[in-house]
Amino acid sequence: MKKLVIAALTMTLVFSLTACGGNKENDTPSEPTSVESSADTESTDATESTDVADTETENTDTESGDTATDSESDVSAETAGAIMLNAFKELMADGTDYTSLELAEKLVANPIIQFMGGAMPVEPGFQSGFDNYEVTGFEEGAMFGPMMGSIPFVGYVFKLPADADADAFMTGLKDNANMRWQICVEAEEMIAEADGNTVFFLMTKKNLNEE
């Protein structure tokens, strides 16, 4: 009788441990946990010491460690919109008096852009990416984007008159832009930035490498 009871308890313990193991695969606890039976009590101190040593080693590696890796991770996590905006700012800061078309051509040649694309000048009036809205009030403008219409990406560079209100101009763009102007696909970011009387506007996916 005792043997049967012991056998039953043993089987219950085995099934319990198996169930816990299955739950651990699905859960992500904030701290390591362990299941401890009476047979494991003697090895608990040694295990805890090893865990502490491992934790200290991991902390040391992190502190000494991987600043460069973290920086690379941050860069790779940047969105297409952020990268293109930084490229615009760098061009504006290099001291060259670019035309809007020259800026557009340099922006569409950015290494992040994998699609075949180009730039072209635009005149005041209806523009791609806007619903029933005439973009006016600029002296010079250029559009850049892909040659294929199925990619949700379109960018503009506008040169405004010296006395123009750049903030009001950008508000008009943002209020009337349609992130789903391509119908079957949708942009995920809208970027608008002014540097003096030069306005950069972009609608794009966050990751241009996604198919």
Side-chain angles (χ1 to χ4, degrees):
M1 184 66 179
K2 289 183 179 180
K3 290 182 179 180
L4 290 175
V5 172
I6 292 172
L9 290 174
T10 302
M11 292 300 294
T12 301
L13 179 59
V14 169
F15 287 134
S16 298
L17 292 174
T18 303
C20 291
N23 290 335
K24 286 183 181 179
E25 290 178 0
N26 297 324
D27 298 335
T28 52
S30 59
E31 295 181 0
T33 58
S34 60
V35 177
E36 187 174 315
S37 67
S38 59
D40 296 329
T41 305
E42 295 177 359
S43 61
T44 300
D45 293 339
T47 303
E48 290 178 352
S49 299
T50 303
D51 290 342
V52 171
D54 290 342
T55 302
E56 291 176 353
T57 301
E58 290 173 3
N59 291 339
T60 302
D61 291 341
T62 301
E63 292 174 359
S64 64
D66 295 289
T67 305
T69 301
D70 291 342
S71 298
E72 291 172 3
S73 176
D74 291 340
V75 170
S76 65
E78 283 188 349
T79 64
I83 292 172
M84 295 299 293
L85 176 59
N86 288 335
F88 168 75
K89 290 180 177 179
E90 289 174 3
L91 287 169
M92 295 301 297
D94 74 9
T96 304
D97 186 19
Y98 295 110
T99 66
S100 59
L101 183 58
E102 288 172 336
L103 286 168
E105 288 172 340
K106 289 182 177 295
L107 288 168
V108 80
N110 190 286
I112 191 177
I113 295 178
Q114 302 297 314
F115 54 72
M116 293 292 292
M120 59 181 291
V122 295
E123 299 293 332
F126 294 108
Q127 308 296 342
S128 178
F130 300 89
D131 290 336
N132 301 318
Y133 177 71
E134 294 191 57
V135 181
T136 60
F138 61 93
E139 294 181 334
E140 184 183 303
M143 179 182 76
F144 58 97
M147 293 181 180
M148 294 178 59
S150 61
I151 301 173
F153 181 104
V154 64
Y156 292 92
V157 179
F158 298 104
K159 293 276 190 177
L160 309 184
D163 59 349
D165 186 341
D167 289 336
F169 182 83
M170 288 190 296
T171 297
L173 297 179
K174 291 185 289 186
D175 287 349
N176 292 280
N178 179 3
M179 299 280 274
R180 203 175 177 82
W181 81 98
Q182 296 285 19
I183 301 177
C184 57
V185 291
E186 183 174 8
E188 298 168 330
E189 291 184 295
M190 181 188 298
I191 310 292
E193 179 85 2
D195 187 312
N197 69 328
T198 303
V199 172
F200 167 79
F201 183 82
L202 176 71
M203 290 188 289
T204 180
K205 292 176 61 177
K206 292 183 178 181
N207 185 353
L208 291 177
N209 293 324
E210 292 180 351
E211 295 183 358

